[in-house]
Amino acid sequence: MWRFRSIIVVMMISWSPLVRAMRFDLRSGTSKCITEDIKSSAMTVGKYNVISDVQPAPGSHKITIRVTSPYGNNYHYADHVDSGTFAFTAAESGDYMACYWAVDHKPPVALSIEFDWKSGVAAKDWSKVAKKGQVQVMEVELKKLLDSVTSIHEEMFYLREREEQMQALNRSTNAKMATFSFLSLLVCLSVAGLQLWHLKTFFERKKLL
């Protein structure tokens, strides 16, 4: 029984909603983009800040950030900032991109940026849910579990849909390649036939045949 529960826990962890917390370096005058595959109707929240020993952060430690959808729609934009947050519900499925640009500075400096990106169940503020509903800790955990199971179920259908799209693309590509190969063979045979006809005509004209 405990082994079965452990397997369930491992499966839920492996299928858990998207949570991306990281720290990366960005040199002044350069840019860096981070992408995440998010399905439609999923909630997403993000938080970023430039780590600086001096407060307020100097002008050399300012960044520009833009978050865009797979079709290029802007969901967040901030210019010359050292920290910020964003939140939205994805209207499109696909790779969302968060791009950072560091202010050009001479001499160049290396900025250290902390970025926390959460999607799905992880993006919900459960502390507010507990406070608002005045529920017990166990009830909150059950709500988390229910949302996790629902998210896993939706993610499975989303992955199945993506797989069907890839299979359709592969079938279409194979059909086009077969048509192209047939046309290429037809052109080669036609050229070979024309060359034989031309050589035969040439030799007959020269009375070599």
Side-chain angles (χ1 to χ4, degrees), residues 32-43:
K32 180 172 293 188
C33 293
I34 301 168
T35 61
E36 193 66 76
D37 186 12
I38 303 175
K39 66 177 182 293
S40 176
S41 302
M43 183 178 180

Side-chain angles (χ1 to χ4, degrees), residues 146-163:
L146 177 61
D147 275 9
S148 297
V149 172
T150 304
S151 178
I152 292 171
H153 186 261
E154 293 175 353
E155 188 72 18
M156 291 177 64
F157 278 100
Y158 173 67
L159 292 175
R160 183 181 300 175
E161 182 182 351
R162 291 292 294 268
E163 182 182 1

